[in-house]
Amino acid sequence: MEKFRLLTLLLLVLTITFSCDEEKILEEKPLDFLTIENALVNQDDFGNSVISLYDLARRYFGDPNSNTERFDMYLGTDVGFNGRNPSIHQLSAYEAFTADDDFTVNRWRDAYRMIFDANIILNKINEVEFEDPALKVQYEAETRFFRAWSYRNLVHLYGDVPLVLEDDTEPEANYTRTPKAEVWAQIISDLNFARDNLPTVDEVDEDGRLVKAAAYHLLSEMYITTGEYQNAVDAASWVIDGGDYALMTERFGSRTDEPGDVYWDLFRLDNQNRSSGNTESIWVYQVEYLTPGGYGAPNGGDANRYERIIGPEYNRFVAKDENPGVRTFIFESTYNGGRGQGFFRTNHLVTHLIWDGDRTNDIRTSDHNILRRWGVDNPESAHYGDTIDTWDPDSYYSFIEPARIEIDTNQRLFPTFLKLTMVNNHFPTEMVDGVGPMMVSGARRLYTDQYAMRLAETYLLRAEAYLGLGNPAAAADDINVVRARAGAPLATPGEIDIDYILDERLRELIFEVPRRLTLARLGLVYDRTVRYNKYAAPHIQPHNNLYPIPSRELRVNTEAELIQNPGY
């Protein structure tokens, strides 16, 4: 297992003291670099180390480098495909998927990095006297949560994985795969400790800090995974019925003076945390604009670039019968959701089928939340003032040359989910020849905090647990709480099966909960992809429900056999 230097874990300032004791002088103590022995020596050191786990977590499913492969949780699933070239690998041509691909290596490496760092903290924390004993318990609870969260990611994506609980500071080459049932048991054990010792939401004053509800939420998912459905119901019920959380049903936050709705408000800048009045956020990854280490650097790689990945490259679109040399849209504009590049294209299931052909009631598919109608804004265009409606095929295709339909509808113009954009809120912007505003410089980033857990998902997890208990009526009741907030028609018990719940997760949680992780947990990556992803369907095989173990791990593990997943 690849080891990571302690320096990558700790953000510490060392205070070095000297002694004249002869025996002490003869002891070899490194003073100018970090080691296990000199790094975690006081309460503040542990606090900084725990904060570093939060940073690793927000980056694990993040997109700091605009690397499309970091969108592997969505590419090649029932959600969509690479819009710029749907036939290439990046989880369309699954037969080209190997154990050396960046995303399978990164998911493994980054999870074990967090586990390694967490193990160091946990195995040193009882050796240090804390000024505040309550902080010691909190730090241990947070660290155990992150270790559980990392193992949850690994076991869902890879199946059986090595269970490592010690801080192995020396390289080892004798790892074996632990049966996933044992890994599940450790995850649940760590989460139970976190559940018992994390503060409640009313006891913390820092946005993004873990609370009891986060542990209960993840416990609900894990109990569904282990088939302990009543335990899953009980864990979710602690969050839902405890009185600390409620779905937002009225408009709130930073932009209520603009047209929109409560679902739109959930994803606007500064609206994600409890401090903004948001009572449904449970755990939120923090993004701080222009703050060192805040994951919000405007001109560097250290910022989310989701807009570029999920939005079309509309500024290069040229409509049928366009004026010579003219692009139909004048440039990338803040009112069109940013500077999309068409790296990821949501498929027909997501843009049309899950809405049952109805875009009039469910606010989650309203014009505020999905940009479907594109107004031609270039005064030089032959179509200036026209609207291209990507919901209506007749309107959509009437603007596109027949020979370019697949190219343009996949890359240049398609419905855009605005929850991952800073629509009409990019900064800085400027006018160009009296037209605009156009985004400039660091405006092409996403600076909103990102949900890791939200109460709407807790309802859908409990619905899944009720379905496992053979109680579709109770499942429908929970689903309908979410649908009622959206103004959608209510579901009936007869409609409820796992596919209905998965579709509802798309309607409510798309681009929040990593889709591949959910499908892999249920063993449905293959099934759903074959049904709904026309580019990946001819290539995906049942063994692709799991990722392969990175081949490097197999090569360096020379003292024991680390068995590869079947099919790779």
Side-chain angles (χ1 to χ4, degrees):
M1 191 89 42
E2 186 175 355
K3 296 296 186 288
F4 300 91
R5 294 183 305 157
L6 188 60
L7 184 58
T8 65
L9 165 65
L10 303 176
L11 308 173
L12 306 176
V13 177
L14 299 182
T15 300
I16 302 173
T17 57
F18 297 91
S19 168
C20 293
D21 186 292
E22 184 175 340
E23 291 186 2
K24 297 294 184 182
I25 292 175
L26 294 177
E27 284 185 18
E28 182 179 351
K29 285 191 175 183
L31 302 177
D32 59 349
F33 60 91
L34 295 178
T35 71
I36 296 295
E37 287 72 28
N38 70 11
L40 292 170
V41 297
N42 59 46
Q43 177 177 293
D44 289 343
D45 292 350
F46 282 93
N48 289 328
S49 300
V50 170
I51 290 299
S52 77
L53 297 179
Y54 281 90
D55 182 51
L56 293 175
R58 71 179 168 182
R59 295 172 188 274
Y60 189 77
F61 291 119
D63 176 52
N65 297 310
S66 197
N67 182 345
T68 311
E69 291 190 343
R70 277 290 190 176
F71 227 58
D72 59 308
M73 292 296 104
Y74 303 94
L75 286 160
T77 69
D78 61 349
V79 177
F81 47 85
N82 186 313
R84 297 177 75 90
N85 192 341
S87 63
I88 67 170
H89 178 32
Q90 292 180 345
L91 304 186
S92 284
Y94 267 90
E95 66 269 18
F97 180 28
T98 75
D100 295 311
D101 279 312
D102 284 347
F103 42 86
T104 190
V105 172
N106 291 339
R107 297 295 174 208
W108 178 280
R109 179 200 64 199
D110 294 350
Y112 273 111
R113 174 184 177 179
M114 187 179 295
I115 290 165
F116 175 63
D117 293 353
N119 285 340
I120 290 176
I121 296 170
L122 293 173
N123 289 314
K124 293 281 289 183
I125 199 166
N126 289 322
E127 300 176 7
V128 174
E129 183 175 349
F130 274 61
E131 299 171 17
D132 183 352
L135 270 184
K136 178 179 180 180
V137 176
Q138 178 182 330
Y139 291 161
E140 181 175 356
E142 289 172 300
T143 303
R144 287 187 182 276
F145 177 94
F146 283 120
R147 183 168 69 178
W149 184 82
S150 297
Y151 271 121
R152 165 264 204 162
N153 298 334
L154 283 168
V155 78
H156 287 347
L157 292 174
Y158 298 92
D160 299 346
V161 295
L163 180 62
V164 183
L165 302 178
E166 300 300 321
D167 52 344
D168 297 326
T169 57
E170 297 299 326
E172 295 190 17
N174 61 350
Y175 293 100
T176 58
R177 297 180 68 171
T178 305
K180 60 185 178 183
E182 294 182 31
V183 183
W184 291 338
Q186 182 61 49
I187 293 170
I188 290 171
S189 175
D190 278 343
L191 289 176
N192 280 333
F193 185 94
R195 172 202 66 191
D196 292 340
N197 293 286
L198 285 172
T200 65
V201 68
D202 294 330
E203 294 172 333
V204 296
D205 55 8
E206 294 176 281
D207 288 332
R209 204 88 199 197
L210 286 169
V211 293
K212 285 182 182 293
Y216 276 104
H217 177 102
L218 196 54
L219 272 169
S220 182
E221 180 194 285
M222 290 310 305
Y223 282 132
I224 291 170
T225 303
T226 61
E228 299 172 81
Y229 297 116
Q230 187 56 55
N231 285 342
V233 168
D234 294 343
S237 296
W238 189 95
V239 183
I240 293 168
D241 301 330
D244 287 337
Y245 299 90
L247 294 185
M248 300 299 293
T249 57
E250 302 292 336
R251 297 207 58 192
F252 74 101
S254 61
R255 298 173 66 184
T256 54
D257 58 339
E258 301 177 45
D261 53 52
V262 66
Y263 191 77
W264 186 80
D265 288 337
L266 286 169
F267 304 98
R268 305 285 63 85
L269 187 68
D270 298 329
N271 284 5
Q272 288 71 48
N273 292 299
R274 191 76 169 201
S275 59
S276 68
N278 187 334
T279 57
E280 68 179 271
S281 62
I282 296 172
W283 177 30
V284 181
Y285 304 126
Q286 301 298 297
V287 178
E288 303 300 331
Y289 180 61
L290 294 181
T291 300
Y295 204 47
N299 295 313
D302 196 34
N304 282 322
R305 304 190 191 186
Y306 292 129
E307 288 185 347
R308 291 171 57 82
I309 289 178
I310 61 111
E313 198 175 19
Y314 60 90
N315 61 306
R316 295 184 180 274
F317 175 73
V318 178
K320 185 168 61 175
D321 302 323
E322 184 56 271
N323 291 329
V326 172
R327 292 179 180 177
T328 303
F329 296 91
I330 191 166
F331 43 61
E332 59 268 23
S333 304
T334 186
Y335 50 77
N336 283 328
R339 187 191 178 201
Q341 298 289 291
F343 289 114
F344 179 80
R345 194 334 184 162
T346 45
N347 62 11
H348 192 63
L349 171 69
V350 176
T351 60
H352 286 75
L353 294 181
I354 59 173
W355 308 107
D356 298 322
D358 181 7
R359 57 183 286 192
T360 60
N361 296 314
D362 194 325
I363 63 173
R364 298 170 298 187
T365 189
S366 72
D367 290 340
H368 301 303
N369 294 306
I370 304 178
L371 177 57
R372 300 183 186 274
R373 291 186 282 206
W374 294 78
V376 177
D377 60 1
N378 188 352
E380 302 300 319
S381 170
H383 304 284
Y384 182 59
D386 290 345
T387 297
I388 305 173
D389 189 346
T390 60
W391 175 269
D392 176 12
D394 291 335
S395 169
Y396 197 7
Y397 297 145
S398 69
F399 286 88
I400 301 173
E401 294 285 354
R404 292 187 56 83
I405 284 179
E406 185 169 33
I407 296 173
D408 283 342
T409 61
N410 282 348
Q411 179 181 346
R412 298 288 169 83
L413 202 66
F414 53 78
T416 300
F417 285 74
L418 297 177
K419 64 162 59 174
L420 284 189
T421 75
M422 293 182 65
V423 61
N424 286 325
N425 199 31
H426 292 87
F427 46 90
T429 59
E430 64 184 23
M431 305 296 287
V432 177
D433 296 329
V435 180
M438 181 182 77
M439 302 174 306
V440 297
S441 186
R444 295 161 180 173
R445 306 289 185 271
L446 181 66
Y447 303 117
T448 58
D449 298 327
Q450 298 295 305
Y451 293 108
M453 296 176 182
R454 187 160 62 84
L455 184 62
E457 187 192 10
T458 319
Y459 274 104
L460 297 182
L461 284 172
R462 192 168 73 173
E464 193 177 330
Y466 277 131
L467 185 64
L469 289 171
N471 191 346
D477 288 343
D478 276 344
I479 293 168
N480 284 335
V481 173
V482 177
R483 290 183 65 78
R485 190 265 295 276
L490 300 186
T492 64
E495 295 179 275
I496 306 304
D497 57 16
I498 193 60
D499 281 316
Y500 190 99
I501 292 174
L502 286 171
D503 287 349
E504 189 64 27
R505 289 178 73 93
L506 286 179
R507 288 183 281 263
E508 180 69 27
L509 302 170
I510 187 171
F511 300 135
E512 295 178 66
V513 180
R515 184 62 169 184
R516 182 178 297 275
L517 200 70
T518 299
L519 296 180
R521 167 173 67 84
L522 296 166
L524 292 175
V525 174
Y526 170 76
D527 176 79
R528 295 277 298 193
T529 302
V530 163
R531 281 193 277 162
Y532 297 116
N533 189 324
K534 68 177 183 179
Y535 293 106
H539 307 283
I540 191 170
Q541 298 295 322
H543 70 266
N544 297 130
N545 277 308
L546 293 176
Y547 274 176
I549 306 300
S551 60
R552 181 188 182 281
E553 303 299 334
L554 306 183
R555 292 195 303 270
V556 301
N557 199 66
T558 56
E559 298 174 19
E561 185 177 11
L562 195 60
I563 300 172
Q564 183 59 277
N565 277 328
Y568 293 104

